[in-house]
Amino acid sequence: MLGEALGSALLGLAVALAALRWLPGRFTSAPLVLATGAVAAAVGGLVTRAVLGPGHLLIALTLAALVAAALVSLLLTPRRRVAQPGQ
């Protein structure tokens, strides 16, 4: 169980790092994104394990990554729109 939680947290950290790399400048705080990704994936993995029980590692890790991606996406700041002349 501890290994699954740590694996989920590392997976969430990878999701957060990928988000920071692919969307530079869209997050206000990189440490917040990294912490959110890791904690969200760990919680998502533990909740999945509690619901499904042991022996469903692939499903638990998949859902952990999805929870991390969903919560990290909530930290995105909107793009600034450039005003076009004449509008």
Side-chain angles (χ1 to χ4, degrees):
M1 184 169 157
L2 182 62
E4 191 172 325
L6 289 175
S8 295
L10 287 175
L11 186 61
L13 192 60
V15 167
L17 284 170
L20 286 172
R21 183 175 179 118
W22 286 332
L23 300 168
R26 297 280 309 271
F27 295 101
T28 56
S29 172
L32 178 65
V33 173
L34 295 173
T36 300
V39 171
V43 170
L46 290 175
V47 168
T48 303
R49 180 185 168 90
V51 171
L52 297 178
H56 297 90
L57 180 62
L58 185 60
I59 295 171
L61 291 177
T62 302
L63 289 176
L66 290 175
V67 169
L71 289 181
V72 165
S73 74
L74 294 176
L75 298 175
L76 277 170
T77 57
R79 288 187 204 168
R80 293 184 181 154
R81 295 186 181 187
V82 177
Q84 297 179 1
Q87 290 187 1

